[in-house]
Amino acid sequence: MPSVQEIAFLKDSAAKAFEPRHRQIINYNIDKYDTAVQIGLSHFHHIENSKRKAHIIKWRVMETLDKLLPEFESNFVQKGGKVIWANDADEAREEIWKIMQRSGAKTVVKSKSMTTEEIDLNDFLEKKGVKTLETDLGEYIVQLLGQKPYHIVTPAMHLSLQDIAELFHQRFGTPIDASAQELTLKARELLREPYTSADVGITGGNFLIADTGSIAITENEGNARLSTTFPKIHIAIVGIEKIIPSLADLDLFWPLLSSHGTGQRLTVYNSIIGGPRQADETDGPEEMYVVLLDNGRTDLLAQKEQRQGLYCIRCGACLNGCPIYKNVGGHTYHTTYSGPIGSLITPHLRGMEEFKHLSYASSLCGKCSEVCPVKIDIHQMLLLNRRDAVSKGIVAKTEKLAWKGFTFAITKRKMIDLFGGKIKNFLLRRFFRKAWGKHRKLPELAEKSFSRQWKERGR
């Protein structure tokens, strides 16, 4: 039987793929990104060498993760920070809640964190009576709508300027035809005070730096800096795979991330944070915690062939290049990480039984692998996921029988030519009309097979 998640994906993707306005908005926004990224990549002297070097560094990281993570912890603790190791989402949420309880925190400002979405932190804190506010403009917009982020880099990519103007008009009384600049100024006005009054600031981290015991955060709005500077407590929640060996590696990874994500040479704000405020510093938190999140990552690490999925630096390039994502959008995946990289890692992070179907949500065109800045062979990894689902028996009996029958027939010419076009057309209309989709007309097969026509013409 299909899983609940698979049924939801098939239903939602069938609806979204044929929604004209959604298609128009997402294609318009992705086209803008594609143009910017092409310009950004042109600034590299030899982009393939850079990608190959990043791939090798990430490979070395995975081979020495057991040494790099303790190195990071040791260096971070020496600066007065505290490290929390969380095996899963429940542990991460409970440890964060302990910090909240000890400090009596009631308000949180958040920035730059897909990992908090991964562990459903907002819902958890709201139920505990803690007011949580997203400060990234895109995240803030989808929070107002009660939605999840649509895209790894651009959470509100599915919305047009008109959609956002209408939302702000309804919520805050701004003009119905407000410009992007006016909407941004209104958001700044609304968010400025919460920065200064929040008890806790929560962020993610683009990179963990082992040799300095620091986290690196890259952004374009400055809200991560505000979220980590004003509150007395800063909590960074970062996946264990985000570690890099040295501060010097940022010279490679920051430009790769910005150019593939937004087409910039470098994002506007790049921060390196290495613990709470020191005696000779004028700003920063009094306490700083880094939550090192596993939540299925070591399960993926154990898959020697698919562990490449952990190399991901969350640039979003594979989403922008994927023909499936461009048609069905981000919300249909019902996962934190959508698109090709989400289809690769989610079955390992959240269970193959529930999410194996995502590995089939790919045309295998290879565009995702082509654009990846760390050269993850994504489409090949998706094939390996499919193989594992079959070998573990996580497929329906009817599916197994169907493929066995197809394999038997397709490898024997006599079986293919056993029936003529009329019978084949009847079988298609009778048994495969629904699978073909209600928006497409079934093709009509020729009365005679190609091989028969070939023989009759004496070739």
Side-chain angles (χ1 to χ4, degrees), residues 14 100 127 146 364 407 425 445:
M100 299 284 185
K127 289 174 183 175
L364 300 178
T407 304
N425 284 325
L445 299 180

Side-chain angles (χ1 to χ4, degrees), residues 2-3 10 21 43 109 115 123-124 137 184 187 223 233 244 251 257-258 315 385 397 400 414 421-423 440 443 457:
S3 68
L10 292 172
R21 191 164 186 274
H43 297 305
V109 286
T115 46
D123 291 341
F124 175 81
L137 184 54
T184 304
N223 39 23
I233 299 173
I244 56 176
D251 182 53
L257 176 59
S258 59
C315 69
N385 277 2
K397 288 183 179 179
K400 281 185 177 179
K414 287 183 179 179
K422 284 184 179 180
I423 296 176
R440 298 188 297 175
R457 293 181 186 182

Side-chain angles (χ1 to χ4, degrees), residues 7-38:
I7 293 169
F9 175 80
L10 292 172
K11 179 183 176 183
D12 293 347
S13 59
K16 274 297 181 195
F18 294 95
E19 188 180 304
R21 191 164 186 274
H22 170 263
R23 183 188 293 269
Q24 180 186 12
I25 292 171
I26 189 66
N27 285 338
Y28 172 77
N29 287 332
I30 287 180
D31 284 348
K32 285 173 63 179
Y33 269 82
D34 288 343
T35 301
V37 167
Q38 287 306 310

